[in-house]
Every structure is written in structure tokens, then in C-alpha cells.
Amino acid sequence: MMRWDVTAIRAGIGVCLILAVPLTLVAAFVDSDDSGLNALFFFGAMFGFVLGAGCAAWIQQRGTPLSHGLVTAMIAYVGAQAVFVAIRLVGGENVNWFGVFFTLSLVMLSGLVGGLLGSLLQARGVTPSRGQSA
């Protein structure tokens, strides 16, 4: 038996990217001095990672929801952040490496929270539909 449910991780990454990346891009383009507005975008993005990780944790079939949530959030963040860093480097801009790795730690926490939520859904017997037609 494989350790990872790749279908669940892909689905969770999709949710992360659909919810978190647009908020990150908006925050970068707005680049507001209003810390409240920046915090709103940041926490919105973290919520996107929680939902994506929770989705992966909920639908995985390996019995490891926490690790699926963590891995899903990390892959989504690292993939998106690699693109953002490459764009900054090609554009000759500086990269705040401390910010990148600090945010990774918060994304990992979001992944664990999502994994916990997915685990709770499974424990309560709430199961996702598998798209089966009658």
C-alpha cells in the first residue's frame, strides 16, 4: 500500500492554489501601507491553506489525515512560492528569504489545522461523495 493518496493531495493542492494564491497576488499588487488590509489578505491566504489541507485530509484513504494535510499545504506553498521567487529574481528584485521561510512555518501550521479538521470529519462519519452516478 502506498503511503500517500496522490488524488487527495492533488485535490487539496488545487483548493489551496485557487483560494490562497489569488489573495497573495492581490496583496502583492495592492502593497498597501494599511497593515489591517495586508493582514486580511494574509489570513485569507492562510484560511485557503487550511481548507485545501482539510480537503486532502478528509478525502484521503490511507488513514493519515494529518500528514496529508501537512504535505498538501507545503507542496502548494513551495510550488507557488518558487514561481514568485523566480519572478522576483528575474526582475532583479530582492527576496526576503526570512519571510519566505517564516511563512512556510505558518503554512505548515495551517496544514496541520486542516489535517485535524479533516480527521475530525472522518471520525464523525462525514464522508465525501465520490462522484458516483446512480
Side-chain angles (χ1 to χ4, degrees), residues 16-133:
C16 287
L17 294 179
I18 287 172
L19 297 177
V21 171
L23 289 172
T24 304
L25 291 174
V26 169
F29 286 122
V30 169
D31 196 23
S32 172
D33 288 335
D34 180 14
S35 61
L37 186 59
N38 285 338
L40 177 70
F41 290 130
F42 178 78
F43 287 117
M46 289 300 111
F47 185 68
F49 284 111
V50 169
L51 287 178
C55 173
W58 182 41
I59 66 174
Q60 58 81 31
Q61 298 294 309
R62 302 292 190 256
T64 55
L66 290 177
S67 61
H68 275 77
L70 178 66
V71 166
T72 297
M74 286 177 57
I75 291 172
Y77 175 77
V78 169
Q81 198 62 38
V83 172
F84 296 152
V85 166
I87 290 170
R88 291 183 76 85
L89 291 174
V90 167
E93 297 179 39
N94 290 331
V95 175
N96 179 357
W97 291 107
F98 176 78
V100 169
F101 289 106
F102 178 76
T103 304
L104 175 62
S105 68
L106 295 177
V107 167
M108 291 169 63
L109 178 62
S110 297
L112 288 175
V113 169
L116 179 63
L117 293 174
S119 176
L120 290 173
L121 284 173
Q122 285 184 344
R124 292 177 188 240
V126 180
T127 58
S129 65
R130 294 288 173 203
Q132 299 170 350
S133 59

